[in-house]
Amino acid sequence: MTKDEIKSAIIKEILEIAPDIEESEIENDKNIQRSLEIDSFDFLKILTAMNAQVGIEVPEADYSQVDTVEHMVEYFLKRLE
Amino acid sequence: MSQFLMPSLGADMESAILMEWMVKEGDTVTKGQVIAEVETSKGVIEIEVFEDGIVEKLLVEPETECAVGMPLAIIKAGADNTLKAMKKIETQTIVKHNADTSKIEPDKQKKIIEAKEDNIEQEERIKISPVARKRAQELGVDITKLDSKKDVIHLSQIEALGTIKVKAPEAAEKKEETKERDGMRQAIAAAMSRSNTEIPHYYLSTSINMTPALEYLKELNKKRSIEERILPIAMLVRAVVLALKEVPELNGFWQENGHRMSKEIHPGIAIALRKGGLITPALLDAQNMDMYSTMEFLSDLITRTRLGKLRSSEMTKQTITITNLGDLGVESVYGVIYPPQLAIIGFGAIVNAPWAEGDALCVRKVMQATLAGDHRATDGRIGAQFLDKINKFLQNPQELL
């Protein structure tokens, strides 16, 4: 997967899990949970869905490294290489 | 033999649209079985029967707007099955049915008729509620082009299409949104006004050291796959349920000037909706769950709340409320009890805070747990015992499994 593919996969999952969010509201460098009011359940669902796509489980200890869309893309990219 | 009536699914609900029957005449039904889907301002709700029996007669057609209390079906209980008795009730039902319909305000009746005519106009019959059809017109969604594999088209699908693909004129959309939100806003307003007028609240708060529980959960989750991961909120709900088993006085209702405790524990979980408003569906029979199933059922409940797909029992059977505003960074929640319940428990954010252990000062993950209790039913002593139990369970998290 390329960087852009991972990014669009993340955005697609966010929109699917929180259907009342508009794509334009998602900002790459903002905290996903806080800026979009994604609760801990929905955040876990996003990570579960991403695991199904890229085969990488984000352990709880690494949550601070996937707090924004940008960071999450980098996190997966680094581990896919 | 009994009539199955349109249940009230919230203080504000005057009527709902019966979308689809899940049973047919002659079917055997068991207590708790979903027999129909109705559409309300809170989404599609599956309604359940309260007793075992046989569906004798379905009294209303799908896509009919039905007032609360209107008979929807006749359910024959096991023993009583003489034809005569059945006929008698049937006649009564029809009379009552008419009476009930006439009770609906004139403009509402007009709406029902309009909706019916609307349905007839459609050549190829598409299963869609009048509300959804109206919304489709406003948003310019062509319902004939919707996925025909789906049995019934729900309002949420129309709205999803409306917002994603077809942008309606701003004004119309805004107006409709305000109206929908108003329904829920009015319900919350009515319940909370009643609560503050009738219920003498007392409030208690305690700081809980969450480090042991979070460390325990971290170790537990390391061994589990991402699908099975347990969130702190599941542990908190579990602690509440176990504490209620030991302090049952807070679980139940204040009804007819009396304190009625409930054996079953159905905690209502407050779920804020991003569009505004709040739903507190019940996690039914939580007393029978362990920590793993608490997480599983909680996750399912939250997903269905967001999809607008809850059951009638989940909307009506709450025996206590749990509200968690921690995700939003709030430290203490002083709740308003949802009548006729006896208490509401609030959990705040888990934050790093100074904590004294023995003579040493250290930093721990600390959370405020609060309780608002109905002083008619219980005193501060009971509330204090309850918060103390929660704290004890969270200090010994292995007991939560």
Side-chain angles (χ1 to χ4, degrees):
Chain A
M1 270 177 128
T2 66
K3 197 173 173 178
D4 286 342
E5 281 168 345
I6 296 173
K7 190 180 159 193
S8 59
I10 294 169
I11 289 171
K12 195 177 143 261
E13 293 304 340
I14 293 176
L15 295 175
E16 196 137 301
I17 286 154
D20 37 10
I21 289 172
E22 307 260 347
E23 192 167 345
S24 58
E25 292 175 68
I26 304 173
E27 288 179 68
N28 289 335
D29 56 346
K30 288 265 164 71
N31 182 293
I32 297 173
Q33 282 190 263
R34 234 166 275 156
S35 68
L36 301 172
E37 281 188 44
I38 300 270
D39 64 19
S40 53
F41 268 95
D42 285 347
F43 191 69
L44 179 58
K45 271 188 221 152
I46 293 168
L47 295 182
T48 309
M50 285 310 293
N51 174 47
Q53 289 205 29
V54 298
I56 293 167
E57 281 194 16
V58 182
E60 283 179 323
D62 288 353
Y63 275 15
S64 60
Q65 298 174 48
V66 293
D67 56 342
T68 68
V69 173
E70 206 172 275
H71 292 161
M72 202 185 277
V73 172
E74 279 163 25
Y75 185 91
F76 287 129
L77 200 62
K78 217 184 282 169
R79 281 154 185 82
L80 281 172
E81 272 163 7
Chain B
M1 181 134 24
S2 65
Q3 295 177 16
F4 182 77
L5 310 176
M6 173 64 85
S8 172
L9 304 168
D12 63 322
M13 187 178 127
E14 290 177 8
S15 66
I17 297 152
L18 186 116
M19 289 294 293
E20 195 181 10
W21 283 110
M22 314 302 275
V23 292
K24 54 185 190 305
E25 289 175 3
D27 280 2
T28 305
V29 291
T30 50
K31 187 183 168 193
Q33 186 179 338
V34 173
I35 64 163
E37 278 188 358
V38 301
E39 189 166 285
T40 71
S41 61
K42 291 175 188 166
V44 178
I45 313 273
E46 296 178 326
I47 56 176
E48 303 150 284
V49 282
F50 306 117
E51 57 186 349
D52 297 343
I54 293 164
V55 180
E56 196 62 57
K57 197 155 179 55
L58 302 179
L59 301 169
V60 294
E61 289 288 315
E63 298 171 39
T64 311
E65 184 162 357
C66 306
V68 169
M70 178 168 149
L72 304 178
I74 297 176
I75 311 284
K76 187 170 74 174
D80 182 4
N81 59 358
T82 60
L83 200 70
K84 215 175 174 184
M86 189 192 90
K87 275 263 162 64
K88 200 175 152 200
I89 287 194
E90 215 170 290
T91 340
Q92 277 176 355
T93 311
I94 290 161
V95 173
K96 191 152 181 279
H97 175 133
N98 288 340
D100 272 353
T101 319
S102 61
K103 259 190 251 158
I104 309 175
E105 294 146 28
D107 65 329
K108 202 151 230 174
Q109 248 175 352
K110 206 177 129 210
K111 248 192 264 164
I112 299 175
I113 293 161
E114 274 171 11
K116 275 186 185 150
E117 280 169 358
D118 214 13
N119 288 340
I120 297 161
E121 272 171 32
Q122 203 70 24
E123 280 186 13
E124 252 181 72
R125 196 166 164 278
I126 297 166
K127 272 199 169 181
I128 176 168
S129 75
V131 179
R133 189 184 298 275
K134 188 165 158 273
R135 189 84 174 116
Q137 277 171 2
E138 282 169 3
L139 294 176
V141 174
D142 186 352
I143 51 171
T144 57
K145 293 208 175 97
L146 279 175
D147 188 359
S148 56
K149 275 176 283 175
K150 296 232 169 98
D151 294 339
V152 183
I153 298 162
H154 291 310
L155 184 58
S156 53
Q157 286 165 255
I158 300 279
E159 299 213 305
L161 275 176
T163 38
I164 296 163
K165 286 181 189 146
V166 202
K167 272 277 168 195
E170 275 293 293
E173 199 172 335
K174 270 213 178 113
K175 199 178 141 206
E176 187 68 21
E177 251 178 44
T178 325
K179 223 169 81 188
E180 260 168 43
R181 246 188 257 172
D182 268 351
M184 193 181 289
R185 202 63 257 160
Q186 290 307 320
I188 296 171
M192 295 302 104
S193 301
R194 191 184 140 200
S195 176
N196 254 8
T197 317
E198 287 179 9
I199 305 179
H201 289 60
Y202 66 85
Y203 303 96
L204 305 173
S205 169
T206 192
S207 299
I208 295 181
N209 173 10
M210 288 293 286
T211 302
L214 292 176
E215 288 294 326
Y216 182 76
L217 203 56
K218 206 160 109 190
E219 288 309 309
L220 200 69
N221 282 337
K222 267 187 196 164
K223 289 176 244 157
R224 297 169 71 81
S225 74
I226 192 162
E227 287 88 1
E228 300 169 318
R229 209 169 275 177
I230 291 170
L231 291 170
I233 179 67
M235 202 161 55
L236 294 175
V237 170
R238 181 79 186 127
V240 168
V241 173
L242 288 178
L244 284 174
K245 281 186 185 178
E246 296 189 26
V247 188
E249 289 89 346
L250 293 174
N251 185 57
F253 312 99
W254 180 265
Q255 269 168 340
E256 292 146 21
N257 276 323
H259 181 187
R260 317 231 179 283
M261 288 186 252
S262 166
K263 266 187 210 141
E264 288 81 33
I265 302 172
H266 308 306
I269 310 295
I271 298 170
L273 302 177
R274 285 183 201 92
K275 279 183 187 168
L278 174 75
I279 298 185
T280 54
L283 186 71
L284 295 174
D285 293 308
Q287 78 278 2
N288 298 332
M289 298 174 187
D290 59 14
M291 192 153 80
Y292 304 115
S293 51
T294 299
M295 176 66 194
E296 220 172 284
F297 285 111
L298 201 54
S299 176
D300 173 61
L301 188 70
I302 291 173
T303 308
R304 285 188 294 110
T305 305
R306 298 232 188 273
L307 291 172
K309 206 151 174 50
L310 291 166
R311 293 183 164 202
S312 52
S313 51
E314 291 166 338
M315 302 294 287
T316 52
K317 287 175 98 171
Q318 299 87 333
T319 56
I320 193 162
T321 302
I322 301 174
T323 176
N324 169 30
L325 288 174
D327 280 338
L328 294 174
V330 163
E331 283 188 29
S332 302
V333 190
Y334 298 98
V336 181
I337 298 168
Y338 195 95
Q341 293 167 34
L342 299 166
I344 177 167
I345 300 144
F347 291 121
I350 302 171
V351 294
N352 285 325
W355 189 264
E357 253 176 26
D359 285 338
L361 190 61
C362 49
V363 173
R364 292 286 179 263
K365 303 275 181 196
V366 177
M367 180 192 72
Q368 296 293 321
T370 53
L371 173 86
D374 184 339
H375 218 324
R376 294 171 303 181
T378 62
D379 303 323
R381 185 180 139 264
I382 295 290
Q385 281 175 352
F386 172 76
L387 286 181
D388 185 51
K389 293 284 177 211
I390 289 190
N391 185 29
K392 286 220 170 86
F393 280 116
L394 290 168
Q395 301 315 309
N396 301 286
Q398 68 284 353
E399 289 178 29
L400 293 170
L401 288 181

